[in-house]
Amino acid sequence: MKLALQNAQVGRCGELLVQYCLLLRGIESAPMTTDSGIDLVAYASTTAIPHTIQVKTNLKPKPGGGKGKPALDWWIEEETPAQLIAFVDLSEERIWLFKREELAEISQQKSSGRFHFYMYVDPSTKANKPDRRVHVHEYESHRLENRAHVIFGK
């Protein structure tokens, strides 16, 4: 029998998955002790530059808009202090890594000082706007395994 996870546990699982995947690439990271909009500080000796990361986690896809096709979605403060945002899908153990300044461009919605970013998991789902990327496969270049070397050095 699988136990239901509480929201805080889902979030912590996402942080641990990001730490694990970074460490596999030789990038050290440590969690912050208080919730100030930064979850992890990561450091790669190749660049000797620390990076702050906010982690946003989904346990699994859910119906878009409550009744639509399965999607992953995350809300993030427009003024996040973190340099990097890691969007996590625990069901598939996937991580996408974005720079803070990319949020305005990639987010499909903006409301009350927050960005809303979502990705449909079904590639047959039609986008509301044809020029908008909304599918998981359209963000492969932002997967942590494809992006870590760009951000943290080789």
Side-chain angles (χ1 to χ4, degrees), residues 64-130:
K67 299 180 265 186
K69 299 274 188 169
L72 298 162
D73 79 306
W74 303 269
W75 287 90
I76 188 155
E77 296 296 322
E78 189 177 345
E79 299 297 325
T80 181
Q83 298 164 302
L84 302 171
I85 293 73
F87 293 124
V88 178
D89 169 20
L90 286 180
S91 67
E92 298 286 332
E93 295 185 359
R94 296 181 287 197
I95 303 164
W96 294 268
L97 199 56
F98 293 93
K99 295 179 181 178
R100 175 183 48 223
E101 52 272 12
E102 294 174 313
L103 289 178
E105 180 185 328
I106 65 154
S107 296
Q108 292 89 352
Q109 297 173 348
K110 180 180 166 188
S111 176
S112 303
R114 297 186 313 158
F115 290 117
H116 185 207
F117 176 62
Y118 59 86
M119 294 187 277
Y120 289 106
V121 296
D122 179 352
S124 70
T125 306
K126 301 279 188 242
N128 290 346
K129 297 178 183 175

